[in-house]
Amino acid sequence: MYFGLSDEQLMIQNSFRGSLERNVTLDSIRRISTGDEPFDGALWQELSGLGMTALLIPEQYGGAALGLIEAVVVAEELGKSAAPVPFVGTAVVAPLAIMLMADETQKSEWLPRLADGSVRIGVAISELASGARRGSGLTEENGTLTGTASFVIDAAGADAFVVADRQQGFHLVGADSPGLEIIHSPTIDGTRPIAELKFQNVQASGLPQTTSDKIDRVLNAGRIILAAESFGAGQEMLRQAVAYAKDRKQFDRAIGSFQAVKHMCAEMAAELQPCQALIWYAAYAFDVMSDDAELSGLLAKSQMDDVGRFVARTATEVHGGMGYTDLMGLHFWFKRIGFNRATWGAPEKLRADAARLQGLG
């Protein structure tokens, strides 16, 4: 059995890889992470032109009608380049939530504009996915929302938000709605705009087809995409570690010739590579094997989260003291992996969920 990418998927991979290699540099990442811009607007336009925002959306709404496996291929490339653009929220979770739960009027209003990249939608589902802080969470009453949503993905500059309330209802809320306050929340990953939303009797448009199965499907897709992005980031950290070990010399020898350093690089590769099969399988199951999809997604993200942390730490150690400097820029990938690990379920929670799903909890 051959389990790999099709010619069409390889073409997508090569297109995005080429564009990202041409347009994303350490300087551009540094500019976004420390500046006032929420994301790289020029890069967003170019990637939207390649179809990044239309991947999952049906053709009738201007999309490409592709599957999650194609979105995973793109996410790996975005993670590899630490691209400072919104993707997981506005190009995966928000369109999926609308496709699965919205009525026809809502779909016609939002999906075509999501597909062409003319609007961006942030996603406020962290309380639902990984638990709520004391005092956070949203309450819906008579079509209005009150409360706080934390760690909202792709929030800065968003035109609207998909939000989940405490009763597992999903809603669409315009970013300019009266009573809504958007507060920027800096995190370790400065390349990803996160915010806290405060609602005070904010009028919301409920997604009427919401069910628990559809919520699980949306969460699963988001987690698989985060895992794919971390895999790409881990690949890049491993590549940089190997390149540095070949170039850096001690006692007139490249440090990569020393057994200890050689073994660190080999161990990273051995831990990281199997994660790709786990993530690809989870995406494949999401697309065509729904009975196995949720468990595969939980296991893929939990494993990638742990391996990602190991690779991030070890790649930094291979660089020695230089690994901790801004000059090398390694910390951008380190922080991307760390943020993804903590978002929408840390590995301990996901493994507990996987155990319960199999009747073991």
Side-chain angles (χ1 to χ4, degrees), residues 178-197:
L180 175 62
E181 184 181 5
I182 304 170
I183 304 168
H184 176 56
S185 301
T187 67
I188 59 169
D189 185 2
T191 65
R192 177 169 273 156
I194 303 299
E196 179 180 85
L197 304 183

Side-chain angles (χ1 to χ4, degrees), residues 227-349:
E229 202 181 62
S230 292
F231 176 78
Q235 277 189 314
E236 175 59 18
M237 293 196 80
L238 172 59
R239 185 199 68 76
Q240 292 192 35
V242 171
Y244 186 81
K246 288 179 177 177
D247 182 65
R248 180 79 168 93
K249 289 186 170 58
Q250 283 287 341
F251 311 110
D252 291 328
R253 291 173 56 188
I255 63 171
S257 67
F258 299 130
Q259 189 176 50
V261 176
K262 193 185 303 184
H263 281 194
M264 291 167 77
C265 294
E267 195 172 359
M268 281 190 283
E271 292 287 337
L272 186 59
Q273 195 55 43
C275 291
Q276 188 172 48
L278 270 177
I279 296 165
W280 283 7
Y281 178 76
Y284 176 76
F286 181 92
D287 289 336
V288 301
M289 299 169 60
S290 57
D291 289 348
D292 207 22
E294 185 177 2
L295 180 60
S296 300
L298 292 168
L299 296 178
K301 184 175 187 297
S302 59
Q303 178 68 8
M304 186 61 238
D305 285 343
D306 281 345
V307 170
R309 184 166 66 173
F310 166 74
V311 171
R313 185 188 69 226
T314 308
T316 305
E317 290 171 354
V318 168
H319 284 75
M322 290 299 292
Y324 295 88
T325 66
D326 186 58
L327 180 66
M328 300 300 292
L330 206 62
H331 63 92
F332 291 117
W333 288 269
F334 190 109
K335 292 169 181 173
R336 179 66 65 96
I337 289 171
F339 179 87
N340 288 348
R341 184 179 193 276
T343 299
W344 296 344
E348 297 81 3
K349 177 190 184 310

